[in-house]
Amino acid sequence: MVDAQAGMRTVVVANPRSGGGKPAHFGLAGRAERMGAEVWLIDADHDAASLARRAVREGAELLGVVGGDGTVAAVAAVAADADRPLVVVPAGTRNHFARDLGLDIRNPVGSLNALSDGVPARVDLGMVGPHVFVNNVSFGVYADALLDPGYREEKARAFAAVVPGYLKGEQGVEAGVDTPRGPVECPLVVLVSNNPYHVLTPRYLGRRFTLTAGLLGGIVLDRPPDTPPDLLRHLRSRLRRQEAPGPAGEAAIVWTAARITLHGPEKQLHAGIDGEPVTLPLPLTCETRPGALPLLLPRERPGIPPEPVLRRPGTVRAGDHHA
């Protein structure tokens, strides 16, 4: 049976190692092949981008990708440049991009339905230099942890090895970043996301309620916390209390922009792009590519929850009850 979107030649690039072997656990390759797609596996000799470029050269009209954010970003870059629709099948650990598309990240099988009956859509991509990101690019503690050779197997240990220097103020991002408050030199953390994260309510912290705003989200933690031992917990607590870019006394700065620039005396800077370690030349600019990525989405998907309506102190919503 050939189902792949009206007989279009379809190539699905799959990362068999994603999510600790999720593609095999859910039988995603076999299911995609039964739907008429060719499945090309990433291996030691063929990475996601090279397989996607080859697929386009050989006439693929529709691309698919099975994996986490890093794999998705690599194939999305090719799909956007070639203007080929992309089907995303979440099979990584976190799957932030797929989650914010409304896909079912707990059961990726349903996402394959887009191969036969997909709904077209377009979403933004982020760019840092020549690199595409679908979720975020990070600088600081997370980027340094990614450099640990054993990060994938022992994430907690990798973080534990780098966090103390940041907590003591001995380490930071070896660059300055332009913010609405002006340049911040050597911050602890810089996080630039493809569309802004929601940061005001704990339940949806880190969600993106749109991927079509044509804006980046910027988050900077510019000095170490006073007491909490958990740097990331401290960042979360700061963000929950902040709606606008912070005043001079706040440690966290949160804003949106079409372009965010980092600069400094060093020639290069470690970064994490969608969970993959890279080294980037300075100065560097993060930008947005509005509507750059064509997608086919399954008709049935959990969806994105409505963005919470924030209440001002002293207001009462309809339906609130008081004793």
Side-chain angles (χ1 to χ4, degrees), residues 23-320:
H25 175 75
F26 287 98
L28 298 175
R31 291 173 184 269
E33 288 173 339
R34 289 192 292 275
M35 297 179 73
E38 303 170 43
V39 177
W40 295 1
L41 298 180
I42 297 168
D43 58 25
D45 298 318
H46 304 90
D47 62 21
S50 65
L51 289 175
R53 287 192 293 267
R54 176 185 151 201
V56 170
R57 286 197 306 270
E58 295 183 7
E61 301 164 274
L62 172 61
L63 295 175
V65 58
V66 176
D69 286 332
T71 304
V72 170
V75 179
V78 177
D81 288 345
D83 200 33
R84 299 292 196 277
L86 179 67
V87 171
V88 176
V89 183
T93 303
R94 301 295 182 189
N95 304 295
H96 296 283
F97 183 63
R99 177 200 63 186
D100 295 340
L101 287 173
L103 303 181
D104 188 345
I105 63 174
R106 289 171 293 188
N107 183 8
V109 172
S111 296
L112 289 170
N113 292 330
L115 293 175
S116 59
D117 188 26
V119 178
R122 278 189 175 268
V123 298
D124 306 338
L125 291 175
M127 294 291 299
V128 54
H131 303 279
V132 161
F133 58 96
V134 295
N135 181 32
N136 67 44
V137 54
S138 61
F139 308 90
V141 62
Y142 182 56
D144 284 353
L146 285 172
L147 294 172
D148 188 301
Y151 172 80
R152 299 293 176 193
E153 293 74 28
E154 298 181 87
K155 293 183 180 180
R157 180 198 56 75
F159 273 111
V162 300
V163 163
Y166 284 86
L167 289 173
K168 295 175 184 177
E170 297 170 352
Q171 273 181 272
V173 179
E174 295 183 345
V177 57
D178 294 333
T179 79
R181 250 171 46 189
V184 176
E185 299 299 328
C186 296
L188 294 182
V189 174
V190 178
L191 188 67
V192 180
S193 58
N194 171 32
N195 281 262
Y197 291 136
H198 179 80
V199 297
L200 298 177
T201 53
R203 181 179 180 184
Y204 296 122
L205 187 71
R207 293 297 297 263
R208 289 170 294 177
F209 291 98
T210 180
L211 290 167
T212 60
L215 291 170
L216 302 172
I219 299 174
V220 168
L221 185 63
D222 66 355
R223 56 184 170 82
D226 298 326
T227 54
D230 184 338
L231 175 64
L232 301 181
R233 185 173 67 223
H234 172 80
L235 175 58
R236 288 196 296 268
S237 68
R238 286 282 185 174
L239 294 179
R240 288 171 187 166
R241 298 196 297 270
Q242 244 176 256
E243 180 172 6
E250 288 288 347
I253 307 170
V254 184
W255 78 105
T256 60
R259 180 178 292 104
I260 295 175
T261 301
L262 282 79
H263 47 78
E266 302 296 327
K267 292 184 178 180
Q268 55 190 22
L269 186 64
H270 296 309
I273 299 180
D274 289 332
E276 302 293 333
V278 298
T279 300
L280 301 172
L282 284 172
L284 64 86
T285 298
C286 302
E287 299 180 286
T288 182
R289 291 176 62 186
L293 179 63
L295 294 169
L296 286 176
L297 299 172
R299 293 183 183 275
E300 299 295 328
R301 53 191 189 273
I304 300 171
E307 188 164 7
V309 177
L310 300 173
R311 300 170 60 187
R312 295 179 180 177
T315 62
V316 179
R317 294 177 301 184
D320 282 352

